[in-house]
Amino acid sequence: MESVGQFMKELAKRTPRQLLSPDEQLDKMFRSSVYLQAFAQEHPELTRDDYMRSLSNVYTAVKEQYWCEHCPGLTECPNLVKGHRTQLDLMKNTIVSAIAPCKKQISHEEELKRRRMMRSYYVSEETMSASFDKLEHDAGNQAAVAAAIQFCNQMGTGERVKGLYLHGSFGVGKSYLMGAIARELSESHIASLLVYVPDFIREMKDSISDQSYVGKLELLKEVPVLILDDIGAENLTPWVRDEILGVILNQRANNYLPTLFTSNYSLEELEEHLSISNGNRIERTKAARIMERIRHFVDVYEILRKNQRLENG
């Protein structure tokens, strides 16, 4: 049986005088297209005249089905509408056509939906691409991984859920685990926001002059799940502590919205970090107030692993 590809190449090479007649084109397509043969078997009531009246639709569908079977990828898709193919249907004994997304286009759209559900500020592509399926786990992070999976399952129930506080040394996979959580939540249509704290704080400071930081704060206060990555690594000031972190965490605690954290610091070390001086005075009370908005709203897990970047690098 000759292929659809050979048929199309033959059409392309012919001069106007050598073009196949409509009858010849239809015969060629029936001989070469498994798709058209299957359509004909589904609709035995159709006559040759029915196909001839819709020859243009038939040709387009056969051609685009061929390209889907030999897919060059979404970006190189030669079909009239990228990522879609023409399919034949029957309406009142007339052959009609409609376009439908291919599997690659559907997967692409699903990925875009997931990305919209898992927004980020300054988070790496590796973290945004994380998933539980690709996550390596061992004795050092097993408890944290189990807690992460349980958190995702509980979020799907609509019940009040405590956040997570993951701490440990550099490169042990804290951020990657948070990325896996965000992806899992997105597949359950639960929105999250991953924020790399040092860069976000830098942006907030740059926004003081025009007050644009106020609108950005609203998103962090209201998103269903907020993930603050690498808290404690930021260049802290009293304003950042009291007007940024304090405001965000207070609002979220009052509305029972879970916040997740990663840090190189334990809770005790983070409290020390937050006790930044204002002038000559160490402000332990203000640090303790913020820690109250963290400590009682998270489950804490220390990840004890070797630096995976060095191990795999």
Side-chain angles (χ1 to χ4, degrees):
M1 183 175 70
E2 61 185 299
S3 71
V4 177
Q6 291 170 330
F7 163 61
M8 290 194 292
K9 288 177 182 177
E10 183 180 337
L11 280 183
K13 290 178 180 178
R14 288 174 177 263
T15 66
R17 289 185 179 182
Q18 296 173 319
L19 285 178
L20 295 175
S21 69
D23 277 307
E24 290 173 323
Q25 288 186 37
L26 185 60
D27 288 338
K28 285 265 188 181
M29 286 190 288
F30 266 116
R31 288 198 299 270
S32 60
S33 174
V34 174
Y35 171 76
L36 186 57
Q37 293 166 8
F39 180 78
Q41 287 179 351
E42 289 179 16
H43 303 285
E45 72 277 15
L46 292 173
T47 66
R48 186 177 181 84
D49 285 343
D50 292 328
Y51 286 98
M52 292 299 293
R53 280 193 291 270
S54 300
L55 188 62
S56 176
N57 288 337
V58 172
Y59 173 74
T60 300
V62 166
K63 179 180 66 171
E64 296 198 349
Q65 291 290 334
Y66 167 79
W67 282 121
C68 279
E69 291 166 8
H70 301 79
C71 179
L74 277 181
T75 56
E76 301 298 325
C77 177
N79 288 349
L80 184 62
V81 179
K82 283 186 182 295
H84 294 71
R85 61 187 172 195
T86 298
Q87 295 181 326
L88 298 177
D89 201 354
L90 199 60
M91 184 177 294
K92 296 181 179 179
N93 294 323
T94 300
I95 299 173
V96 296
S97 65
I99 61 171
C102 68
K103 290 181 180 178
K104 283 189 171 66
Q105 179 66 24
I106 292 172
S107 296
H108 176 66
E109 290 173 357
E110 286 297 319
E111 179 63 21
L112 291 178
K113 286 180 184 177
R114 280 195 291 270
R115 289 302 179 105
R116 285 194 290 270
M117 295 298 289
M118 50 186 292
R119 291 167 292 182
S120 71
Y121 269 119
Y122 306 110
V123 175
S124 72
E125 183 61 31
E126 180 186 15
T127 299
M128 293 296 290
S129 301
S131 71
F132 286 122
D133 291 337
K134 297 184 287 186
L135 184 67
E136 296 180 3
H137 57 89
D138 50 39
N141 69 347
Q142 194 166 0
V145 172
I149 294 172
Q150 183 180 23
F151 172 83
C152 293
N153 292 337
Q154 289 179 325
M155 279 299 299
T157 67
E159 300 174 0
R160 290 179 184 174
V161 183
K162 292 180 73 173
L164 299 173
Y165 187 93
L166 307 183
H167 67 102
S169 189
F170 298 101
V172 297
K174 303 183 298 293
S175 299
Y176 191 91
L177 182 51
M178 289 300 185
I181 291 173
R183 173 171 286 271
E184 189 72 15
L185 292 174
S186 72
E187 293 179 356
S188 300
H189 306 290
I190 299 171
S192 64
L193 176 65
L194 288 84
V195 177
Y196 181 62
V197 175
D199 284 344
F200 177 72
I201 293 303
R202 192 174 301 118
E203 181 180 326
M204 291 298 97
K205 290 178 180 178
D206 292 342
S207 304
I208 294 175
S209 59
D210 60 6
Q211 297 290 303
S212 61
Y213 72 89
V214 176
K216 296 168 186 174
L217 279 183
E218 290 304 310
L219 176 59
L220 275 71
K221 289 192 290 186
E222 297 173 359
V223 67
V225 177
L226 176 63
I227 301 173
L228 296 177
D229 186 30
D230 214 3
I231 189 170
E234 71 283 348
N235 184 12
L236 192 67
T237 66
W239 179 78
V240 167
R241 180 194 58 207
D242 302 333
E243 302 301 326
I244 301 297
L245 291 177
V247 169
I248 292 170
L249 297 177
N250 185 65
Q251 179 83 1
R252 296 188 64 79
N254 289 341
N255 291 317
Y256 303 101
L257 296 173
T259 306
L260 288 70
F261 306 82
T262 74
S263 183
N264 296 132
Y265 293 152
S266 66
L267 288 180
E268 292 73 21
E269 291 168 333
L270 180 64
E271 183 165 0
E272 189 67 27
H273 169 73
L274 293 173
S275 301
I276 185 172
S277 63
N278 186 6
N280 296 322
R281 188 168 47 136
I282 302 297
E283 298 187 309
R284 299 195 182 280
T285 301
K286 290 188 176 180
R289 186 177 297 123
I290 289 182
M291 291 306 300
E292 286 294 300
R293 294 306 188 192
I294 298 177
R295 185 175 281 110
H296 297 296
F297 294 91
V298 296
D299 291 322
V300 181
Y301 294 88
E302 183 177 9
I303 298 181
L304 298 168
R305 305 174 80 201
K306 293 181 180 179
N307 190 321
Q308 299 300 297
R309 299 189 193 106
L310 297 179
E311 289 284 305
N312 301 324

